[in-house]
Amino acid sequence: MTAAVPSALLADRLRRAGDAAATRDVDLLLITPGTDLRYLVDAGGESHERLTCLVLPATGHRAPPALVVPRLEAPGWAHLPLAELGVEIVTWNDGEDPYLLVSDLAGGPQAVAVGDTMPAVHVFGLRDALPGCTQDLAGPLLRELRMRKDTAEVAQLRAAGAAIDRVHARMPEFLAPGRTEAEVGADIAAAIVEEGHASAAFVIVGSGPNGASPHHELSDRVIESGDVVVVDIGGPLPTGYFSDSTRTYAVGAEPPLRVREAYAALQDAQERAVAAVRPGVRAEDVDAVARVRLTESGLGERFLHRTGHGIGLDVHEDPYIVGGNALPLEPGMAFSVEPGVYLDGAWGARIEDIVVVTDDGCERLNTRPRDLVVL
Amino acid sequence: MTAAVPSALLADRLRRAGDAAATRDVDLLLITPGTDLRYLVDAGGESHERLTCLVLPATGHRAPPALVVPRLEAPGWAHLPLAELGVEIVTWNDGEDPYLLVSDLAGGPQAVAVGDTMPAVHVFGLRDALPGCTQDLAGPLLRELRMRKDTAEVAQLRAAGAAIDRVHARMPEFLAPGRTEAEVGADIAAAIVEEGHASAAFVIVGSGPNGASPHHELSDRVIESGDVVVVDIGGPLPTGYFSDSTRTYAVGAEPPLRVREAYAALQDAQERAVAAVRPGVRAEDVDAVARVRLTESGLGERFLHRTGHGIGLDVHEDPYIVGGNALPLEPGMAFSVEPGVYLDGAWGARIEDIVVVTDDGCERLNTRPRDLVVL
């Protein structure tokens, strides 16, 4: 993955993480490779049996910030502005105990928080090297930071949105009667990479009755004229930021009136939910707007899932746009708005845009037509 | 990934895992998605924030074997012979606490062992749901099983070896003066998939001086006539079993005598190390055979790494063929034999075959010529 974040922004993220730790009486954050590490130092590293771990003290704690890495892999970290950020690289050799090295750096912590994805082998290695110290999750603390995107992150999500929109724009090349979902999916996956993603993380082509299953991916079903087809696609840019956008297409022929009517209700529900997004509105309120609108059209029971999920370095992250989540939206929060309707055994439809909350509403990062286009 | 393991073999793996747990006074194994789960039930699942967990009791423990899965994902597990294996699928819905569900199933364990790669979020969820119960790693116990391959596994590794050999056979299509390592690498990656792998997990093309760095992958260096080029490639089959094979090529012209002499010593070292593999020989002895032979030719200091690593569902796993590992080899153990020589700033070479220990020696799973072929 390529680095892209100005070091002033990284310094700000590290400072806010240290502040958040201090607020929660956590002495140290211990973060192994993954998206939390990528967020904090703009490099993810690889997670494997050798320990790589960011040791990030709470603001005011005595330990120095350090990145513990296997000596063999130190060259891979040399391009980062770690010295400028006040983070020392500390290497260890095969045969040394990296957990004791962390313990030596840690300055006698009483409470550490480890990244949610840290593998058990490292969790227990650190537990045994820091006896008497409590271990909890860093996720609840870091998600407070990560769900409010800074300018560099919004720029990446905007670029990801434009890239996946270019793939949807090419759908007439791919989607046609007589082709299987798997054939169409393979072409779409290649286009996702061609349009600038590092990989195609997911490709859902749900044709005809398969569209009625929100978790359907690809099958050998041959697409027929008259099918309604759900296409939900995305992947990470080289920087790690994800795209995710769904459009629903009609293939070969206009669908019957009852389908067009239900689709019109869905489109209106998505439009209203997006229009409801602004600072201070609760996440669950956005969900309710879509749900109420579909219920008015007798489709409430056909909307089987939450309205959306946050997106960033993870394709699913906070905030979740779901009943029960009273979180007030704030500028910089980025998430999907993706109501759907699923008619068992017959057809399904979903419309999904990523939006970023602005000072007075939101910016849509996906702008392809939302009508039921006939290809 | 596709399923391939006869259920009698899966039953045997589950039984041996239960026996191993009982021997070590572990009441339950708790295994989340990853290669350990794939080994035990022939399906890996996906690791994410929702808990999927195999609850496997030690032989004699009262808890029933169960696979806890999110209800949404239950259809993805329906193809497995779990009922036949005596493993009940237990589903949970969003909003329920899956850790308490495991606790209810667990029958009051005193000691559990969790998979080495289990994410901290699940480690702590289970810790809090099983108060007073110790948590340790399942890895030391499962690696005893996993490093002794059964017939289905050897068949998969043999197929993986044949697939990567077909890629090496096509090297004259890819490797030529005037092309960059990155261009060659992209072609090789495509060929790895064309020849039957699920993906290209790693592609090292180390040309000229880049070959002197064992961890080099790809660069924009243009390959020149006379270069020696290390090509170390592999990936997983759709069943998850990995290939990994290195050959070294001379491009465009025969290299000078000193290179050919050093290469001949390397080839002899690899040959002798493979010939030394048989039941009862210690892992470190195989390493020593290669090291002593290279030292005789004054190249001992140029052999910078261990001689090999186990391979299976993970590309690096036990047994490691390295000084200090006194493990006696047994039939069914599969690992690489890959000595190399690295001449700083000039060139490097490595020869790597996967071997499986047989009753009286070993079977090589890679059979491409090991001479310094001039392309």
Side-chain angles (χ1 to χ4, degrees), chain B residues 104-165:
Chain B
D104 288 345
L105 291 165
Q110 301 298 305
V112 298
V114 311
D116 289 19
T117 62
M118 182 185 285
V121 63
H122 298 321
V123 173
F124 294 166
L126 292 166
R127 177 189 71 186
D128 296 346
L130 295 167
C133 173
T134 65
Q135 287 186 323
D136 279 299
L137 292 175
L141 179 164
L142 291 175
R143 80 171 60 117
E144 294 292 321
L145 279 67
R146 286 184 51 185
M147 76 178 162
R148 297 170 178 84
K149 268 67 184 175
D150 59 33
T151 53
E153 296 189 281
V154 172
Q156 285 297 318
L157 287 171
R158 197 179 283 126
I164 205 70
D165 279 4

Side-chain angles (χ1 to χ4, degrees), chain B residues 262-272 294 351 369-372:
Chain B
Y263 188 89
L266 174 67
Q267 189 173 352
D268 192 40
Q270 204 262 356
E271 201 63 46
R272 290 185 191 205
L294 286 168
I351 303 171
R370 295 173 196 89
D371 302 324
L372 186 56

Side-chain angles (χ1 to χ4, degrees), chain A residues 214-277:
Chain A
H215 277 70
H216 177 78
E217 294 190 2
L218 295 171
S219 78
D220 289 327
R221 182 178 182 280
V222 176
I223 296 167
E224 298 169 18
S225 187
D227 277 354
V228 172
V229 184
V230 176
V231 179
D232 183 348
I233 54 180
L237 295 187
T239 54
Y241 284 86
F242 270 87
S243 67
D244 185 4
S245 179
T246 309
R247 289 293 182 268
T248 300
Y249 300 90
V251 176
E254 182 135 311
L257 181 63
R258 64 184 160 69
V259 170
R260 283 182 283 138
E261 283 178 349
Y263 188 89
L266 175 67
Q267 190 173 350
D268 192 41
Q270 204 262 356
E271 200 64 45
R272 290 185 190 203
V274 170
V277 174

Side-chain angles (χ1 to χ4, degrees), chain B residues 14-29 56-61 111 113 140-142 144-145:
Chain B
L14 289 168
R15 186 188 50 72
R16 286 187 292 136
D19 289 352
T23 304
R24 294 177 180 239
D25 293 324
V26 166
D27 296 319
L28 289 179
L29 298 176
L56 185 66
T59 304
H61 185 76
L141 179 164
L142 291 175
E144 294 292 321
L145 279 67

